[in-house]
Every structure is written in C-alpha cells, then in structure tokens.
Amino acid sequence: MKKLYCLIIICFSFLLFGCSSLYYHPTKQTYFTPKQMGFTYSSEFIQTKDNLGLNVWKIKNQKVDTPKAVILQFHGNGQNMSSHFLSLAWLVNHGYELITFDYRGYGESEGEPDPYDNIDDSKLVLDFALKEAKEKGVKLIVYGQSLGGAIAMRSLAEWEGKNHVVLLCIDGSFASYRKVVKETMNHVIFPPMGNLFSWIFHDGTSPKDSIASLAPIPMLVIHGTEDTVVFFDNGKEIFGLAGEPKVFWEIRGGGHVDWMNLGQSKFAKDFLLLLNRHLY
C-alpha cells in the first residue's frame, strides 16, 4: 500500500509539474544565515542572461584578511543554500572563503528550476567566483554535492575558465540523471517501475559524457557506502569516467553527503591536508 501511494504521488507530480518536479525540491524559507553562525557574509545577486537574479553569498572569516582559497559550493536538490552552507561553513574557520548560491527558484533566486538554465547560470557563477579569487590573489576550488555535483561537472566542462580550478570535489553525486531516477524508483517502489520511469527522463544535461574532459583538473570523488539517496555505485561510475589525477574516498558506513559532520569527522583533517596540497 505504501509503495502504491508513492507511485500515485510520483505520477501526479509528473503530470502536474513535469520531470523537473522530481529533480528539484526548492524552498523559500531562510533556515540559517551565516551571521547566526558567527560568520561575516555579503549577499549579492548575479543577473542571468534572461535578466533574472541569482542570490549568492560570500562567507568569510572576519579575522582573516586574505583567505587560503575560495571554495564555490554547488548544493543539493532540496531546501536552499541557507541550510546547505552549513556542511562547508566549518572550512571558513580554517581560513577559506566560501561562496554558495541558489539555483533558479531556490531561496531568493528568481525564476523556476530548469536543467538547461542551471548549466548556463552556473557558468556565470563560476565567473563570479573566479573574479573573487583573482581579486584576493588566491586559487579556486569547486565543491559539488549530490545534484550539485552533476551540475558542477557539466558546467565546468563547458566553462572557458576551467583551467583556473585547482581542485574539484564531487560528493554523493551521479553521472546520469536517467540512471539515478531508475535506481531511486526501483528502491522506493519496485524494479519494473524504475525501468519504466527512467525513460521519461532525458540525459541531455547529464555530465557522464563530459567528465573525462575535466582532466587535468584534480578530482576528489567522495561517496558513502550506505548512501540510500544516490547509491554508492554512482560515485564509482564518476571515478571510472574521470581522467587523472583523481582520488576516490569510500566512506564506509557513510550515508548521503554526511561525512563531514561540520568538520568533526575523522576525514576532516585529511580533507584539509588534501586542500593544502593543491594550494602550495
């Protein structure tokens, strides 16, 4: 009965809102601000090609004049950046500047979510982050989480400035929208439905055919073995498609994009060492 109920909801959502309603789950609520967490930040808007505003936050450590690097975050598909920034905010305490932004329809960003617009918009945000890094005289790191990892990989592959990125981190993400829909549907409902529904979703904006072209940007692929949102094999697929140099972190027992624990996990120290290795 529960699976039948889920199927009805999914079918209704698809008929009413289209495929994008299953990709994106934005909210307008502000959950936390960086100020509430003790950080200095500024909120700005980037104008898209069709004259919409994308909200961007620059989060800084007020005790640090020049950051070690600028880290650009591509967040996941639910809520908005006011909840997602918390997963990387601990890096600000270690001397990094964090830039995060909301896709169309998320938070205060205007418009409606769209996979093709996300790619074009993200290249503008990459321009914004690179300009900030150059003005500070530091390097640029890109961190993509879940859906944000897929958007980041595809956007970077098409971005003219990709050679300025010194490290790309892909956390709990996937190479194919169609494949991840198939796996999720099979897990939530039952296998035949996943096979059927996956063909409704196109791979036109999937990064799978673009991942190899990201080399020689160093890539760190991170995935939890117990991830039940984006299954572990998706991370292995990304790693297999990526060119050198690349590193894979298998987080044994880890769930979906939860390995950091606000910088308190056993991997946090190793992550900081990895960042420093690519900066000096």
Side-chain angles (χ1 to χ4, degrees):
M1 180 61 71
K2 183 178 179 181
K3 290 185 175 182
L4 178 59
Y5 176 75
C6 290
L7 177 59
I8 292 171
I9 293 298
I10 289 168
C11 290
F12 179 76
S13 297
F14 173 75
L15 291 172
L16 187 61
F17 302 109
C19 293
S20 293
S21 66
L22 297 182
Y23 288 155
Y24 310 114
H25 300 282
T27 60
K28 295 295 185 181
Q29 176 183 347
T30 299
Y31 299 92
F32 303 95
T33 67
K35 183 178 180 180
Q36 289 174 317
M37 309 306 293
F39 300 112
T40 298
Y41 83 110
S42 61
S43 178
E44 303 180 32
F45 284 86
I46 295 175
Q47 189 176 44
T48 66
K49 292 180 180 179
D50 52 349
N51 297 317
L52 297 177
L54 298 180
N55 194 202
V56 180
W57 285 353
K58 293 193 294 188
I59 307 171
K60 306 174 184 180
N61 186 326
Q62 59 184 349
K63 297 179 181 179
V64 176
D65 292 328
T66 302
K68 293 179 180 178
V70 170
I71 300 176
L72 173 61
Q73 178 189 37
F74 286 73
H75 68 65
N77 74 325
Q79 300 181 343
N80 57 60
M81 67 179 175
S82 70
S83 60
H84 286 284
F85 85 93
L86 294 171
S87 65
L88 298 183
W90 65 278
L91 290 166
V92 178
N93 289 327
H94 289 272
Y96 294 89
E97 178 178 331
L98 176 64
I99 294 179
T100 188
F101 72 104
D102 269 331
Y103 315 117
R104 295 180 182 222
Y106 285 75
E108 294 185 33
S109 289
E110 299 173 338
E112 297 294 331
D114 177 83
Y116 287 99
D117 288 333
N118 278 341
I119 305 303
D120 289 337
D121 295 347
S122 295
K123 287 184 280 187
L124 296 176
V125 178
L126 284 161
D127 287 337
F128 177 90
L130 179 58
K131 180 181 178 183
E132 176 73 4
K134 286 184 173 181
E135 288 178 352
K136 296 292 175 63
V138 299
K139 296 177 180 179
L140 176 63
I141 295 168
V142 174
Y143 200 112
Q145 297 166 303
S146 192
L147 174 74
I151 296 172
M153 287 186 286
R154 180 59 183 267
S155 303
L156 268 176
E158 298 182 10
W159 183 49
E160 293 181 355
K162 67 180 180 181
N163 291 333
H164 293 283
V165 176
V166 299
L167 179 64
L168 171 61
C169 305
I170 300 298
D171 187 356
S173 192
F174 53 89
S176 166
Y177 285 98
R178 180 172 289 167
K179 178 184 176 183
V180 80
V181 168
K182 177 181 176 180
E183 290 183 338
T184 301
M185 292 291 191
N186 285 343
H187 179 71
V188 172
I189 309 174
F190 44 86
M193 295 311 300
N195 298 339
L196 173 63
F197 268 93
S198 67
W199 288 105
I200 299 173
F201 292 80
H202 66 79
D203 265 337
T205 57
S206 291
K208 63 178 183 177
D209 295 328
S210 305
I211 293 172
S213 70
L214 293 169
I217 301 173
M219 183 184 294
L220 169 64
V221 182
I222 308 168
H223 220 109
T225 59
E226 304 306 313
D227 191 335
T228 58
V229 178
V230 178
F231 295 104
F232 179 70
D233 66 293
N234 288 280
K236 295 295 289 185
E237 180 181 12
I238 292 170
F239 185 73
L241 291 170
E244 296 288 351
K246 59 183 178 179
V247 175
F248 187 82
W249 280 10
E250 176 181 315
I251 310 299
R252 290 203 167 270
H256 187 58
V257 195
D258 64 359
W259 70 272
M260 284 190 173
N261 295 324
L262 300 179
Q264 300 303 311
S265 76
K266 63 179 181 179
F267 292 98
K269 183 177 180 181
D270 291 337
F271 185 67
L272 289 170
L273 290 173
L274 182 70
L275 292 185
N276 287 333
R277 194 180 309 148
H278 289 282
L279 296 180
Y280 304 105

